[in-house]
């Protein structure tokens, strides 16, 4: 997943400051996720609330930035270009992203307090596995959104022969 994150940055980095910041958030999220996963794999009892909180905060910030900043900006850009096909694809992808969002909110809720974190610690390996799959799918869907709603309207695309 981290390699895919680097590839997405190479493809779309520098194109738009908002997307650049969001892709940096994605990278920080993945680094935190991998650290949590490694700690969980090494010795589950050594996972602490601060580490879970750090990951969860990055996760919620990333998800929020997507829903409240990036997705609307991409939709506005497609509207500005009159790209109805891109808008239809976006609607479909956003429905699929909603399932991932629900999963992240559920994770955040399960580990929100020290008591809940301790009670749910035994479930953390299953959560890590679930989040790994869910985030990989989410990033792929988001990359499709960027490609269709933003990259398709970039100046380089306008110059490309049809």
């Amino acid at each position: 997943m981290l390699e895919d994150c680097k590839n997405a940055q190479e493809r779309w980095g520098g194109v738009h400051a908002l997307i650049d910041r969001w892709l940096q958030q994605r990278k920080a999220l993945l680094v935190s996720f991998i650290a949590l996963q490694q700690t969980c794999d090494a010795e589950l009892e050594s996972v602490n609330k601060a580490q879970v909180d750090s990951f969860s905060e990055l996760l919620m910030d990333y998800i929020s930035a997507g829903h409240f900043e990036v997705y609307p900006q991409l939709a506005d850009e497609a509207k500005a270009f009159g790209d109805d096909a891109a808008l239809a694809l976006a609607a479909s992808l956003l429905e699929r992203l909603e399932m991932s969002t629900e999963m992240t909110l559920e994770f955040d809720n399960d580990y929100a307090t020290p008591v809940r974190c301790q009670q749910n610690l035994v479930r953390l390996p299953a959560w890590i596995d679930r989040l790994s799959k869910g985030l990989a799918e989410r990033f792929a869907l988001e990359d499709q959104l960027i490609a269709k709603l933003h990259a398709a309207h970039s100046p380089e695309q306008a110059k490309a022969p049809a």
Side-chain angles (χ1 to χ4, degrees):
M1 279 193 302
L2 192 54
E3 187 60 35
D4 290 340
C5 178
K6 289 177 186 173
N7 291 339
Q9 267 187 303
E10 289 168 5
R11 260 183 285 169
W12 298 301
V15 177
H16 192 278
L18 180 63
I19 292 172
D20 285 348
R21 281 193 311 274
W22 194 47
L23 292 174
Q24 282 298 325
Q25 282 183 296
R26 182 190 287 186
K27 184 177 181 180
L29 171 63
L30 284 169
V31 168
S32 179
F33 177 75
I34 290 167
L36 181 61
Q37 183 179 42
Q38 289 173 340
T39 303
C40 187
D41 288 348
E43 188 175 346
L44 182 59
E45 293 76 25
S46 68
V47 174
N48 61 50
K49 175 80 168 109
Q51 189 175 18
V52 173
D53 283 349
S54 176
F55 166 71
S56 192
E57 183 177 329
L58 290 169
L59 179 63
M60 298 312 293
D61 287 349
Y62 178 81
I63 299 298
S64 294
H67 279 284
F68 299 113
E69 296 174 39
V70 178
Y71 305 161
Q73 177 66 34
L74 292 173
D76 288 348
E77 187 173 341
K79 285 176 193 169
F81 280 89
D83 194 340
D84 293 335
L87 290 169
L89 175 67
S92 170
L93 293 177
L94 289 173
E95 281 182 34
R96 292 174 59 195
L97 284 166
E98 191 58 38
M99 290 183 291
S100 172
T101 299
E102 292 300 320
M103 177 186 61
T104 61
L105 293 172
E106 188 180 334
F107 172 82
D108 187 61
N109 186 52
D110 273 2
Y111 295 90
T113 66
V115 170
R116 291 183 66 99
C117 189
Q118 189 59 42
Q119 290 171 337
N120 291 314
L121 189 60
V122 71
R123 296 177 47 210
L124 189 58
W127 262 116
I128 295 290
D129 185 54
R130 188 174 169 204
L131 285 168
S132 179
K133 292 173 185 156
L135 289 174
E137 179 182 2
R138 179 180 202 92
F139 298 154
L141 292 171
E142 291 170 343
D143 288 350
Q144 287 180 48
L145 274 175
I146 294 169
K148 188 63 179 167
L149 276 76
H150 180 70
H153 306 125
S154 71
E156 292 80 20
Q157 287 295 324
K159 292 178 194 172

